[in-house]
């Protein structure tokens, strides 16, 4: 029901998500391709959010068939880096310096993967939004990110399990490994990817559920 989105979708009908992706690619001036994994980052451009890791990883990541969009503001050095990276990889990278609520919603809905390599994150909200919108989170396994993102396991006791990937320790190599695993799952194992999306969308992250857990502890 999100008013910021050009198309709507649900766990029972995901077709609108592909349309949101195409609209986002058009809006950003990226090639409109359903088959390419589109990775998003939304957040402050500072040390806590792991922007330095993204910066170090981008040259290697841009060798892959991938698209990457970043939305945020903060450290002027990172803002300048985002602008220069966009001009270096015109068909693959977009850096939106600033913040816009409607744009953040369109990125959350239009991306396939949301990246959150935070050094620390007591709770974290973007990974919760991402799962609600059928976007698969790849996060550093710390704090609230570790608590809420269950790493994909194709051989769980009841079949496939998990809602994304939580990597640790916080290194460029580990982050790239998690992203590449997510990207290959997206490309080569469509039913598994759809399972990841649907498990994320049906996960209960409401206060009702949290309150019940608190009640049990007390």
């Amino acid at each position: 029901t999100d008013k910021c989105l050009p198309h709507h979708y649900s766990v029972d009908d995901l077709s609108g998500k592909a349309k949101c992706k195409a609209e986002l690619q058009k809006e950003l001036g990226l090639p409109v391709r359903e088959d390419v994994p589109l990775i998003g980052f939304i957040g402050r451009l500072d040390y806590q959010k792991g922007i330095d890791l993204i910066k170090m990883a981008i040259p290697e990541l841009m060798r892959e068939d991938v698209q990457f969009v970043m939305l945020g503001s903060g450290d002027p050095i990172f803002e300048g880096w985002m602008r220069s990276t966009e001009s270096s990889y015109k068909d693959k990278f977009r850096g939106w310096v600033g913040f816009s609520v409607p744009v953040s919603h369109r990125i959350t809905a239009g991306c396939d993967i949301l990246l959150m390599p935070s050094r620390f994150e007591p709770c974290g909200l973007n990974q919760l939004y991402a799962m609600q919108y059928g976007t698969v989170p790849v996060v550093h396994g710390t704090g609230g990110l570790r608590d809420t993102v269950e790493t994909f396991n194709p051989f769980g006791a009841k079949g496939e399990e998990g809602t994304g990937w939580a990597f640790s320790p916080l290194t460029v190599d580990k982050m790239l490994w998690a992203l590449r695993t997510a990207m290959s799952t997206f490309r080569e194992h469509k039913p598994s990817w759809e399972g990841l999306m649907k498990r994320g969308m049906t996960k209960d992250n409401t206060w009702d559920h949290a309150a019940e857990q608190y009640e049990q502890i007390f």
Side-chain angles (χ1 to χ4, degrees), residues 132-143:
Q132 192 74 56
Y133 282 60
T135 301
V136 177
V138 173
V139 304
H140 173 218
T142 185

Side-chain angles (χ1 to χ4, degrees), residues 45-47 51-52 55 75-83:
L45 305 181
D46 67 25
Y47 182 75
I51 308 298
D52 53 319
K55 184 181 174 185
D75 188 324
I77 292 169
F78 289 134
E79 290 182 357
W81 166 76
M82 265 168 48
R83 292 187 180 101

Side-chain angles (χ1 to χ4, degrees), residues 70-116:
M70 294 181 71
L71 170 70
S73 61
D75 188 324
I77 292 169
F78 289 134
E79 290 182 357
W81 166 76
M82 265 168 48
R83 292 187 180 101
S84 64
T85 304
E86 184 174 308
S87 57
S88 301
Y89 304 102
K90 286 188 166 59
D91 286 345
K92 291 188 171 185
F93 185 94
R94 287 292 176 274
W96 188 305
V97 176
F99 193 74
S100 158
V101 170
V103 173
S104 73
H105 284 227
R106 292 199 292 276
I107 290 173
T108 303
C111 282
D112 301 297
I113 297 164
L114 185 87
L115 178 62
M116 287 183 75

Side-chain angles (χ1 to χ4, degrees), residues 91-193:
D91 286 345
K92 291 188 171 185
F93 185 94
R94 287 292 176 274
W96 188 305
V97 176
F99 193 74
S100 158
V101 170
V103 173
S104 73
H105 284 227
R106 292 199 292 276
I107 290 173
T108 303
C111 282
D112 301 297
I113 297 164
L114 185 87
L115 178 62
M116 287 183 75
S118 304
R119 279 188 163 74
F120 57 92
E121 198 71 70
C123 174
L125 292 172
N126 285 341
Q127 84 281 10
L128 303 181
Y129 302 153
M131 289 187 285
Q132 192 74 56
Y133 282 60
T135 301
V136 177
V138 173
V139 304
H140 173 218
T142 185
L145 302 179
R146 185 185 58 224
D147 291 341
T148 54
V149 178
E150 186 188 349
T151 293
F152 177 57
N153 176 12
F155 308 112
K158 299 176 183 173
E160 293 188 345
E161 297 171 346
T163 54
W165 281 268
F167 63 89
S168 185
L170 184 63
T171 64
V172 172
D173 286 347
K174 272 288 187 185
M175 184 175 79
L176 283 169
W177 176 85
L179 284 172
R180 285 181 177 131
T181 306
M183 283 155 45
S184 67
T185 307
F186 170 83
R187 286 197 190 94
E188 297 159 28
H189 305 283
K190 287 295 182 192
S192 296
W193 191 261

